[in-house]
Structures are given as structure tokens and as C-alpha cells.
Amino acid sequence: MAPIRLSMKDKNLDQIAAVEKAIAEKYGDEAITNPKAAWDESKEKEYLSQMQEFYQKIKKNEEYQEKIDINGIKVSKKLFSRESLRCCSVCGSFPKKSMDDVCLTKFDCCSKCHLQYVEGREERWLKGWRPNNG
């Protein structure tokens, strides 16, 4: 009787089956099952809702990374909070130093205006006095 010859295709299929069997033994049958086998209508709806949430987050993030023009310089919106976008109520400049932020928070003016108009006259400033810019 002549020996049975396996073609190359049959050898590849045997090798694939052996690999699948080894994977199933090591990681379980779920590791080799086709993902479409457990897919149904409810999972499809859940997937679509997750994708919708994901794309909404991406759109929100893109809006957040939008650029703002400040005195001719484009700056990312995410670098500023609403508080730091305030400008000096006296001269109209934007904060450039950390001291400007401190003065804006406490006296609603930049550090330059603080030195010129507020320092030594805090009571008058806090009562509402502001310089005439006319």
C-alpha cells in the first residue's frame, strides 16, 4: 500500500490547527473563537453608542484646543482659564507675569498699574477710586 501524501495546503492547515489547539489549551476556548460568533443586535447598539460618545469627546477636545488671538499672538485656549483671560481694568493689558495675575485677582489691575495707582493707597482703591484715562 502506498503512503498517503499530504499536499502543502494540508500541512499548513494541520499546523494552523495545532497552533489553535495550543492557544486554546493555554488561554481558553474564548481566545480562538471568531468575534462575530457572539455579536448580536444589543452589542451593536452598545458599540454605536460608545462610538458616538467617543467622537463627541474628540470634538469637544478639538474645540478646547482652539487658538485665541492675543495681541497678534495665537495661543491655545487650553492654556487659559476664564480667570486668566481677564485684562487690566485700567490699562487694558493682559497679564504677562505671575505678579500680574496676583494683582488682577486682588486689585483688578496689572502689576504696573498696581505700582502706579494702588500701592500705598489700597483703601482708596478698594473703595472704588480709579484713575481717569482721558
Side-chain angles (χ1 to χ4, degrees):
M1 193 187 243
I4 301 174
R5 292 188 148 180
L6 296 174
S7 68
M8 283 299 270
K9 186 177 181 181
D10 292 332
K11 286 182 184 178
N12 286 341
L13 292 177
D14 289 340
Q15 187 178 11
I16 291 171
V19 169
E20 279 187 359
K21 183 179 178 187
I23 290 172
E25 287 174 4
K26 186 169 184 174
Y27 300 106
D29 288 332
E30 190 176 294
I32 60 169
T33 57
N34 186 340
K36 288 184 180 179
W39 200 258
D40 59 2
E41 193 66 31
S42 65
K43 288 186 179 181
E44 180 72 19
K45 287 180 182 177
E46 182 181 347
Y47 168 76
L48 291 174
S49 69
Q50 288 174 354
M51 289 301 293
Q52 188 176 19
E53 283 180 35
F54 174 72
Y55 284 115
Q56 286 173 350
K57 286 180 183 178
I58 287 176
K59 185 177 178 181
K60 186 177 181 182
N61 192 23
E62 286 173 353
E63 290 171 1
Y64 187 62
Q65 291 181 358
E66 197 175 306
K67 305 287 186 203
I68 300 172
D69 188 320
I70 297 179
N71 297 332
I73 299 171
K74 297 278 185 181
V75 181
S76 177
K77 247 186 190 179
K78 72 179 181 180
L79 296 176
F80 294 102
S81 64
R82 293 202 187 278
E83 279 293 310
S84 67
L85 284 176
R86 294 185 312 160
C87 61
C88 175
S89 63
V90 179
C91 67
S93 69
F94 283 97
K96 297 176 182 125
K97 303 180 221 165
S98 59
M99 190 60 185
D100 287 333
D101 286 329
V102 171
C103 291
L104 273 170
T105 303
K106 192 166 183 181
F107 298 105
D108 198 32
C109 67
C110 66
S111 60
K112 181 182 170 187
C113 292
H114 177 265
L115 281 174
Q116 189 170 0
Y117 302 113
V118 181
E119 194 168 303
R121 304 174 208 109
E122 285 90 1
E123 287 181 36
R124 180 176 73 161
W125 184 268
L126 294 173
K127 287 180 183 175
W129 179 88
R130 297 294 181 268
N132 264 345
N133 286 339

